[in-house]
Amino acid sequence: MSTYVFGHTSPDSDSIVGAISLSYLKNQLGEDCVPTRQGEISAETQFILDTFGGTLPELKTSVAGEKVYLIDFSDKAQAPKDIMEATILGIVDHHKLGDLTTDTPLECWIRPIGCSNTVVYEMYKAHDIEIPKHIAGMMMMAILSDTVIFKSPTCTKVDTKAVKELSKICGVEDYKKLAMEMFIVKSATEGASARNLNTRDYKAFEMNGMKVGVNQLEMIDISALDDRNQEILDDMAAMKEEDGLHTMIVLLTDIMKEGSQLLCLSDDVSKIENAFNVKLENHQVWLPGVLSRKKQVIPFVQPQFS
Ligand code: MG
Ligand code: MG
Ligand code: MG
């Protein structure tokens, strides 16, 4: 019986590439692992697969009775609905510890660094397993995506070192140039519906019995969305209703200006205003320097709900 390896819902490049890179490592170690995904992939991830000739993991949204490895998350709200009926063999992650628990001992590789694929890279080294060229290239791009080309405050020396070593394995010298091409692909919003924009990098969190949804768009220039502001807010209101959210947040992150426009609809907007010590105007505010949801947003929002 195969073990399934997958990342969070609304999978990003780290989740997809992580499923591939961790499965390959486990297979080399004698386990029978299959990379899967919980949803459709982004244009950014497609770019990475195309560039390095990676194979799209199969879609799998139900895991009852299966053995699984989780990568890039440990929150129940980001897992398949029947995750508690699966056996979690291990977690590889770089987020806050979520609310998933297990009945049996598990393998855990969780580190406060820039990317799950950096953790996987460390695992390859620990097991002395060679990384195939195409997987090295995809891991390198996942790290460059998650760390916003090393600009994110989540980025550590471990991540930059991993990228440099992976770039040698995959033979891409000018990895920053390739990463900029990737962010241009990621920034494309023309023709995308408001719902598409609002779910591109959407994550739900359970905060003291209240559900908080946070979507993030990382773009080279967020002014491309200036005239779609109201449309985005209207769809956020619809999502808030549909998903029974207490609070719905959208971060429009400008990776060149290095900050985020925070859009928020909440049953209690003072929680969000207090979290960042700001006042919202037309449901939004500019947060200079804020690039990371996991390090600069969730740790400030969560305490407001406890
Ligand atoms: Mg992720
Ligand atoms: Mg990640
Ligand atoms: Mg990200």
Side-chain angles (χ1 to χ4, degrees), residues 73-76 91 93 95-101 110 205:
F73 78 104
S74 65
D75 273 283
K76 217 187 272 183
I91 300 174
D93 194 17
H95 292 86
K96 75 176 178 71
L97 190 58
D99 53 0
L100 278 170
T101 54
I110 304 178
F205 301 87

Side-chain angles (χ1 to χ4, degrees), residues 8 12 15 72 203:
H8 52 76
D12 57 3
S15 277
D72 203 35
K203 285 183 183 176

Side-chain angles (χ1 to χ4, degrees), residues 78-216:
Q78 297 164 25
K81 290 208 167 25
D82 55 6
I83 187 70
M84 294 317 284
E85 294 163 60
T87 304
I88 302 173
L89 299 185
I91 300 174
V92 178
D93 194 17
H94 68 128
H95 292 86
K96 75 176 178 71
L97 190 58
D99 53 0
L100 278 170
T101 54
T102 62
D103 301 328
T104 47
L106 79 166
E107 177 181 5
C108 261
W109 296 70
I110 304 178
R111 296 190 62 190
I113 57 181
C115 185
S116 296
N117 271 282
T118 307
V119 183
V120 177
Y121 177 70
E122 298 283 306
M123 293 172 73
Y124 272 89
K125 285 211 291 195
H127 291 291
D128 198 21
I129 299 289
E130 213 173 294
I131 310 175
K133 208 171 163 177
H134 74 290
I135 294 181
M138 294 192 289
M139 291 170 73
M140 176 185 80
M141 295 309 279
I143 301 169
L144 287 163
S145 168
D146 258 16
T147 62
V148 194
I149 322 181
F150 307 150
K151 286 187 192 189
S152 171
T154 60
C155 186
T156 66
K157 277 185 189 148
V158 189
D159 301 291
T160 50
K161 189 163 169 272
V163 164
K164 280 172 195 149
E165 292 174 12
L166 288 164
S167 79
K168 285 190 193 120
I169 300 171
C170 73
V172 175
E173 243 170 78
D174 199 348
Y175 52 81
K176 285 195 178 175
K177 182 169 163 247
L178 187 61
M180 269 314 276
E181 280 176 43
M182 172 176 74
F183 272 98
I184 289 168
V185 169
K186 187 178 204 170
S187 299
T189 55
E190 237 181 74
S193 66
R195 180 57 55 95
N196 171 288
L197 297 175
N198 281 344
T199 53
R200 275 195 187 180
D201 187 4
Y202 175 78
K203 285 183 183 176
F205 301 87
E206 194 76 24
M207 295 189 185
N208 199 18
M210 285 160 272
K211 203 171 169 190
V212 178
V214 185
N215 180 51
Q216 183 174 30

Side-chain angles (χ1 to χ4, degrees), residues 53-67:
T55 308
L56 178 66
E58 61 187 79
L59 184 69
K60 188 163 177 61
T61 54
S62 176
V63 292
E66 309 284 8
K67 288 183 291 179

